[in-house]
């Protein structure tokens, strides 16, 4: 591109007003040397400058002053309500947690005691029943499991050995 | 310019530390700029005054949260822009009926301040042409255009105010300038300038 002969088009002139450094180097070089293109750019800049000046000049002035309340920067002491609120919240949470813990452990303990009491009562009922309906003393004597040697003796009494041998 | 910026930064630091005199100086420094910024967005004198008051109250409230004292200007304009948006949202229907009357009333009030009748005429014409131009722009284009050429903010500052990228700001500005170039009425007025 022959930058000496090719002037900037309208788009490039506007782009140069927005940000000249964003233009391609060849266009930028041309702009730095070409008085025609510089003139176009300056014309837009002049118009914009006049626009800004007129806007400033023609804007109405505020009729009221800004009223400021008393301003005091926040010191650590000014955060006291926040600290107090935070501490109260921590206490509250700790209280709820402790109450829940105590209540739960008490409930657990009570249920354990009740279960043990029930077991004891059941055992005692069995013991009473055994005492109340205890078998007479002879029953253990005829029980096979009571004494195996006694059972053999009983058999010999019912069927003596000699009689058995003679029969054979 | 750098001296002024340094002075403003100092005022911000002192105001944050609770110095009332600095705070008042800071408000004085930005009062007209903020008022004008609001006025050219809502075209209502009374509402602009109320909003300006609100904006400085918000500034006072949020000043401790300002991270960089040097960026007070875009920060303040961002507060102002948010307030204007809230205002528009609330009064969208009312402003539709009342804007023209307000505009004429405001132009009349400003014209009374100009002794030169030719300038007073020009003021009315300017207000109308300027309004036509801003109405022809999209919301973003209008915002970027006004911030750049009426409020005199840099591209970076505008990006900060709008929370957009610099390239986005440039694109909107380019489109706005194209439309500005196509407005013959305003061009004639600008060539005439102030008498």
């Amino acid at each position: 591109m022959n930058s000496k002969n090719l002037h900037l088009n309208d788009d490039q002139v506007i782009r140069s007003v927005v940000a000249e450094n964003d233009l391609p180097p060849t266009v930028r070089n041309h702009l730095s040397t070409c008085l025609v293109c510089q003139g176009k750019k300056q014309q837009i800049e002049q118009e914009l400058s006049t626009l800004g000046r007129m806007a400033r000049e023609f804007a109405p002035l505020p009729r009221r002053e800004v009223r400021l309340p008393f301003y005091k920067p926040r010191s650590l002491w000014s955060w006291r309500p926040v600290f107090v609120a935070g501490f109260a919240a921590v206490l509250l949470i700790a209280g709820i947690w402790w109450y829940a813990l105590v209540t739960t452990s008490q409930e657990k303990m009570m249920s354990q005691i009740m279960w043990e009491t029930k077991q004891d009562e059941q055992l005692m009922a069995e013991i009473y029943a055994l005492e109340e309906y205890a078998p007479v003393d002879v029953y253990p004597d005829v029980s096979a499991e009571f004494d195996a040697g006694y059972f053999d003796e009983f058999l010999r009494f019912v069927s003596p050995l000699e009689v058995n041998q003679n029969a054979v | 310019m750098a001296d002024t910026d340094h002075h403003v930064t100092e005022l911000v630091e002192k105001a944050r530390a609770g110095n009332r005199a600095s705070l008042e100086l800071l408000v004085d420094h930005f009062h007209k700029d903020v008022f004008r910024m609001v006025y050219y967005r809502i075209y209502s004198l009374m509402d602009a005054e109320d909003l300006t008051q609100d904006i400085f109250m918000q500034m006072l409230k949020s000043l401790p949260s300002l991270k960089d004292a040097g960026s007070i200007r875009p920060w303040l304009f961002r507060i102002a822009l948010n307030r204007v948006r809230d205002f528009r949202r609330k009064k969208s229907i009312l402003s539709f009926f009342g804007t023209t009357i307000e505009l004429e009333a405001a132009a009349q009030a400003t014209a009374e301040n100009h002794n030169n009748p030719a300038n007073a005429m020009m003021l009315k014409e300017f207000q109308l042409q300027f309004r036509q131009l801003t109405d022809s722009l999209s919301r973003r284009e209008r915002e970027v255009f006004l911030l750049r050429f009426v409020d005199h903010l840099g591209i970076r500052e505008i990006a900060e105010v709008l929370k957009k990228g610099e390239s986005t700001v440039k694109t909107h500005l380019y489109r706005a300038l194209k439309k500005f170039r196509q407005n013959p009425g305003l061009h004639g007025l600008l060539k005439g300038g102030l008498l």
Side-chain angles (χ1 to χ4, degrees):
Chain A
M1 189 175 96
N2 187 352
S3 64
K4 289 280 180 193
N5 297 331
L6 198 61
H7 291 303
L8 271 68
N9 59 31
D10 276 355
D11 277 359
Q12 286 171 325
V13 174
I14 292 173
R15 280 185 197 284
S16 73
V17 174
V18 174
E20 194 178 326
N21 291 336
D22 290 356
L23 290 171
T26 48
V27 179
R28 219 164 47 221
N29 288 339
H30 172 83
L31 184 63
S32 64
T33 53
C34 176
L35 291 176
V36 177
C37 293
Q38 278 178 14
K40 281 183 189 173
K41 187 192 171 202
Q42 277 166 7
Q43 190 197 339
I44 299 176
E45 284 175 340
Q46 184 61 43
E47 281 180 8
L48 290 167
S49 168
T50 310
L51 176 87
R53 197 159 45 86
M54 285 174 92
R56 186 177 284 262
E57 180 73 22
F58 288 154
L61 293 170
R63 292 167 299 189
R64 273 188 281 155
E65 289 297 312
V66 175
R67 294 179 303 276
L68 292 172
F70 182 71
Y71 171 73
K72 195 181 167 191
R74 300 196 85 169
S75 64
L76 262 184
W77 186 245
S78 67
W79 290 98
R80 187 183 48 164
V82 179
F83 291 140
V84 170
F87 185 66
V90 169
L91 277 182
L92 186 70
I93 291 164
I96 291 168
W97 180 73
W98 180 80
Y99 178 75
L101 195 72
V102 166
T103 313
T104 313
S105 64
Q106 271 184 350
E107 276 174 8
K108 267 187 182 173
M109 205 164 69
M110 284 302 290
S111 66
Q112 178 73 19
I113 290 168
M114 282 177 75
W115 183 79
E116 283 178 4
T117 309
K118 202 175 169 183
Q119 291 289 314
D120 289 349
E121 278 173 359
Q122 207 172 341
L123 180 66
M124 289 307 292
E126 283 175 10
I127 292 168
Y128 288 139
L130 283 171
E131 278 182 1
E132 190 71 22
Y133 306 107
V136 289
D137 291 343
V138 73
Y139 286 162
D141 295 343
V142 295
S143 169
E145 287 82 14
F146 188 72
D147 187 359
Y150 181 78
F151 183 71
D152 291 342
E153 197 180 334
F154 175 72
L155 281 176
R156 276 199 297 275
F157 169 73
V158 173
S159 176
L161 193 64
E162 295 89 322
V163 176
N164 289 341
Q165 281 173 349
N166 292 338
V168 171
Chain B
M1 186 70 183
D3 283 350
T4 312
D5 288 349
H6 183 67
H7 176 62
V8 170
T9 308
E10 265 184 17
L11 287 179
V12 174
E13 294 291 359
K14 284 179 184 171
R16 282 160 80 170
N19 187 321
R20 190 173 173 87
S22 300
L23 184 68
E24 283 171 358
L25 284 172
L26 202 61
V27 171
D28 278 350
H29 183 79
F30 286 114
H31 187 198
K32 281 181 189 171
D33 286 350
V34 170
F35 174 81
R36 190 171 49 248
M37 183 265 185
V38 174
Y39 174 76
Y40 278 120
R41 278 151 184 88
I42 62 172
Y43 293 104
S44 164
L45 205 58
M46 282 178 71
D47 290 332
E49 282 175 340
D50 290 343
L51 275 180
T52 306
Q53 172 72 34
D54 285 353
I55 289 160
F56 281 109
M57 291 300 288
Q58 182 67 44
M59 182 196 92
L60 181 66
K61 200 174 153 187
S62 308
L63 202 57
S65 68
L66 174 65
K67 286 171 188 168
D68 178 17
S71 63
I72 175 87
R73 193 172 158 82
W75 178 78
L76 187 58
F77 272 69
R78 182 161 177 76
I79 292 176
L81 209 59
N82 285 335
R83 285 281 165 175
V84 169
R85 275 180 197 154
D86 290 345
F87 175 83
R88 275 188 185 145
R89 216 172 288 141
K90 283 177 192 168
K91 295 223 172 179
S92 55
I93 299 167
L94 288 175
S95 66
F96 179 76
F97 294 108
T99 305
T100 313
I101 300 163
E102 287 278 9
L103 180 60
E104 283 173 2
Q108 188 66 39
T110 319
E112 283 166 8
N113 293 333
H114 288 269
N115 295 327
N116 188 337
N119 264 357
M121 283 291 290
M122 191 184 275
L123 158 74
K124 274 193 176 180
E125 187 59 24
F126 173 79
Q127 295 246 6
L128 280 173
Q129 295 291 342
F130 188 75
R131 185 72 199 271
Q132 275 180 9
L133 168 72
T134 52
D135 283 351
S136 72
L137 304 176
S138 74
R139 192 169 59 87
R140 282 267 175 251
E141 289 164 6
R142 181 170 54 238
E143 208 48 72
V144 169
F145 184 84
L146 291 177
L147 285 170
R148 181 74 188 94
F149 299 112
V150 178
D151 302 316
H152 302 288
L153 264 66
I155 300 283
R156 190 177 295 172
E157 284 181 316
I158 296 170
E160 213 173 310
V161 171
L162 299 176
K163 296 277 176 203
K164 299 278 174 197
E166 285 185 32
S167 57
T168 311
V169 170
K170 285 174 190 170
T171 306
H172 287 306
L173 199 56
Y174 166 75
R175 288 178 189 158
L177 279 179
K178 278 195 93 170
K179 288 179 185 173
F180 166 74
R181 294 279 290 160
Q182 291 157 4
N183 190 317
L186 194 58
H187 278 295
L189 203 66
L190 293 174
K191 277 172 188 164
L194 282 169
L195 294 175

